[in-house]
Amino acid sequence: MKAVRLHQFGGPEVLSYEDAPVASPHSGQVLINTIAAGVNPIDWKTRDGGGASGFLGDFPVILGWECSGRIAVISSHQGRSQEKNTQGADREWQVGDLVFGLLNFPEAGNCYAEKVIADTNHIARIPDGLDPLLMSGLPLVGLTAWQALFEAANLQSGQKVLVLAAAGGVGHIAVQLAKWAGAWVAGSASSYNQEQLIQLGCDQAIDYRQQQLDEVLSDIDVIIDAVGGETAIAALDCLADDGITVTLPSVSAAQVVDAATKKNRKAVPMRVSPNAAQLETLAQLMADGELKLNLDRVFPLNQVADAHLRSQNGRPQGKIILKIAD
Ligand SMILES: NC(=O)c1ccc[n+]([C@@H]2O[C@H](COP(=O)([O-])OP(=O)(O)OC[C@H]3O[C@@H](n4cnc5c(N)ncnc54)[C@H](OP(=O)(O)O)[C@@H]3O)[C@@H](O)[C@H]2O)c1
């Protein structure tokens, strides 16, 4: 198969489009013929030697943690398999099923490839009518937003939420999920994305270059921080006394948590985990029209370096996706 492999960490030039061996699925796994893979900031941070690089194992490694595709091989059974996923739902898999998932995170996901092995409790079916290409970009941002809002922050209907980087991959899903859950939602973005924030459902759109957060917001119950650093620290001044910031960029997490402690506020770091049941819920929300995933741009797999550069410039409007097959 063709895959994009790393033989060392470094700039976009270390992304090598080349032949790679195809693995066989073990018990509880399937082999997927990949249709598309999502690109996320963690991909280029890891390519550079940061991010999840410590979890990957020996070179060569294949980046990419989220994908969509068709099941090609099911371990240990001919064509059919029944199992319980970690959340207890019975699921039956068939060769040909269209699926999507967040695979193995933070260990190697191997999704920048024509074929990938997936644990069946890391994938969910794509409902009829949804575009598999688009669905490849949902797992990482969808699960991050879900787990940040409903697990880390335990968001309740009627609470006030601030999403930092509300037009970005995680942010635009977090805004929609918080609205769906009955929250009042403010979002921050540049002037370029203000209209986008309103379309997503933000009750208040904030231009972070023109407005200072603590001058326009107060008593926020939940901040979803997809920016980190000084921006996240300044936003702590908007929190209610018993509010919480869930800070996502790992590089500044300790700094944000320390600053919160000094300001007598609460901030917690979070790392997204694969979760099939949550993926099923997100897919159903997409099928019901309650949730939309914005597509920034599609690149063919062999132009992955351009896709990384676009993500690295920090201005994508929604998800960047690598198309691998029809
Ligand atoms: N811990 C985890 O499990 C986890 C999971 C997912 C993501 N993350 C991290 O979360 C961060 C965001 O990820 P993503 O996928 O959402 O990234 P993304 O799609 O690349 O988001 C970029 C967005 O950031 C916005 N932005 C930049 N500076 C900003 C500022 N000062 N205030 C408000 N918005 C600003 C940009 O909007 P404008 O163009 O309008 O400026 C752009 O829309 C990354 O650091 C990523 O690694 C962590």
Side-chain angles (χ1 to χ4, degrees):
M1 67 169 181
K2 289 292 185 194
V4 173
R5 298 203 294 182
L6 296 186
H7 297 267
Q8 62 185 71
F9 295 120
E13 68 283 354
V14 302
L15 295 160
S16 175
Y17 180 74
E18 61 190 25
D19 291 320
V22 179
S24 298
H26 295 132
S27 175
Q29 295 182 324
V30 293
L31 179 73
I32 295 171
N33 282 338
T34 319
I35 292 173
V39 173
N40 294 283
I42 188 71
D43 299 15
W44 51 262
K45 291 177 187 176
T46 302
R47 184 209 70 213
D48 268 343
S53 57
F55 295 93
L56 294 183
D58 296 336
F59 290 120
V61 294
I62 301 178
L63 287 179
W65 278 277
E66 58 181 3
C67 71
S68 61
R70 279 190 193 280
I71 292 181
V73 179
I74 298 169
S75 66
S76 71
H77 291 285
Q78 292 278 328
R80 287 174 88 81
S81 142
Q82 185 144 20
E83 66 168 58
K84 280 187 183 298
N85 70 17
T86 47
Q87 289 72 41
D90 284 317
R91 296 187 303 159
E92 191 171 88
W93 301 103
Q94 294 186 350
V95 168
D97 280 348
L98 271 175
V99 294
F100 74 124
L102 174 69
L103 310 186
N104 298 335
F105 191 81
E107 291 170 26
N110 300 312
C111 290
Y112 289 3
E114 289 176 330
K115 294 173 191 290
V116 63
I117 301 283
D119 287 356
T120 50
N121 57 17
H122 294 177
I123 58 173
R125 270 198 191 76
I126 298 178
D128 290 346
L130 293 182
D131 178 6
L133 183 91
L134 193 62
M135 292 301 278
S136 71
L138 180 62
L140 196 139
V141 295
L143 291 174
T144 301
W146 184 279
Q147 291 166 17
L149 287 166
F150 304 126
E151 293 183 348
N154 190 24
L155 179 67
Q156 304 295 314
S157 176
Q159 287 190 316
K160 287 169 74 176
V161 175
L162 166 62
V163 179
L164 302 176
V170 174
H172 85 291
I173 299 294
V175 168
Q176 295 174 76
L177 289 178
K179 288 299 296 178
W180 169 76
W184 179 95
V185 182
S188 68
S190 63
S191 52
Y192 181 60
N193 280 317
Q194 293 299 296
E195 182 57 36
Q196 176 66 22
L197 299 190
I198 301 299
Q199 280 171 17
L200 288 167
C202 284
D203 298 288
Q204 187 167 345
I206 296 160
D207 181 340
Y208 64 79
R209 291 205 180 96
Q210 307 293 334
Q211 293 164 291
Q212 207 175 308
L213 288 168
D214 65 343
E215 285 178 2
V216 290
L217 289 175
S218 58
D219 289 325
I220 296 293
D221 299 296
V222 174
I223 296 177
I224 303 299
D225 164 34
V227 179
E230 292 304 322
T231 300
I233 290 170
L236 292 166
D237 296 331
C238 308
L239 274 180
D241 289 349
D242 57 352
I244 183 170
T245 289
V246 183
T247 185
L248 298 173
S250 56
V251 70
S252 61
Q255 188 194 351
V256 176
V257 171
D258 276 0
T261 306
K262 287 188 186 122
K263 292 183 183 212
N264 207 16
R265 292 289 182 274
K266 186 175 179 188
V268 294
M270 192 203 94
R271 184 166 74 205
V272 66
S273 306
N275 188 306
Q278 290 170 358
L279 281 182
E280 283 169 10
T281 304
L282 291 164
Q284 195 53 52
L285 288 172
M286 293 272 286
D288 294 344
E290 298 270 6
L291 182 66
K292 289 192 170 56
L293 184 78
N294 286 343
L295 179 61
D296 177 74
R297 204 145 141 204
V298 179
F299 293 85
L301 183 60
N302 62 5
Q303 287 176 24
V304 61
D306 292 334
H308 273 215
L309 287 170
R310 187 164 176 90
S311 175
Q312 264 178 279
N313 83 13
R315 301 261 94 86
Q317 290 185 295
K319 286 305 298 266
I320 297 167
I321 283 174
L322 298 170
K323 183 174 177 179
I324 300 171
D326 289 320

